[in-house]
Amino acid sequence: QVQLVESGGGSVQAGGGLILSCKILGDTERIGRMGWFRQAPGKEREGVAVIRKRDGTTEYGDPWKGRSKISRDIAMRTVTLHLNNLKPEDTAVYYCAAGPGLVLIPMNPDLYDYWGQGTQVTVSG
């Protein structure tokens, strides 16, 4: 029943930034954590950032520390990902994901139950 809808992707030059948004539709009672992942062609899905619903605590993938920020509204109906200082190697489809609040490895995509269709981010330069 949960549906995730991403928006905000596009083309930017290296060094630029984007703001990605994920709208969460449906019954979110079971959702305790939201995350953003990326996947480039031929590569595995990689965690960018996750946020816990209860207290808003966050965790970032190592390459993203200092150049990304994840946030949510109090009801967690919208989760936003700010991407900064983008590099050509960041080019990928970025996916919003939802899952339980308690996970051992937040960056493991296998632990998330719901996924959006993704939004393309293309970085040139």
Side-chain angles (χ1 to χ4, degrees), residues 19-57:
I19 302 175
L20 308 182
S21 180
C22 178
K23 299 292 185 182
I24 302 97
L25 308 177
D27 187 358
T28 62
E29 284 188 89
R30 287 171 159 266
I31 303 303
R33 191 179 301 272
M34 301 290 298
W36 282 92
F37 295 77
R38 71 175 182 183
Q39 187 167 26
K43 296 186 177 181
E44 65 180 355
R45 194 161 295 189
E46 179 186 40
V48 178
V50 298
I51 186 167
R52 190 173 181 178
K53 179 181 180 180
R54 181 176 63 83
D55 56 11
T57 56

Side-chain angles (χ1 to χ4, degrees), residues 1-6 21-36 51 53 70-73 75-80 96-99 114 116:
Q1 186 178 349
V2 174
Q3 185 179 11
L4 308 178
V5 182
E6 304 103 329
S21 180
C22 178
K23 299 292 185 182
I24 302 97
L25 308 177
D27 187 358
T28 62
E29 284 188 89
R30 287 171 159 266
I31 303 303
R33 191 179 301 272
M34 301 290 298
W36 282 92
I51 186 167
K53 179 181 180 180
I70 188 169
S71 61
R72 54 133 175 79
D73 60 16
M76 208 163 81
R77 284 290 177 175
T78 302
V79 176
T80 302
C96 181
Y114 305 98

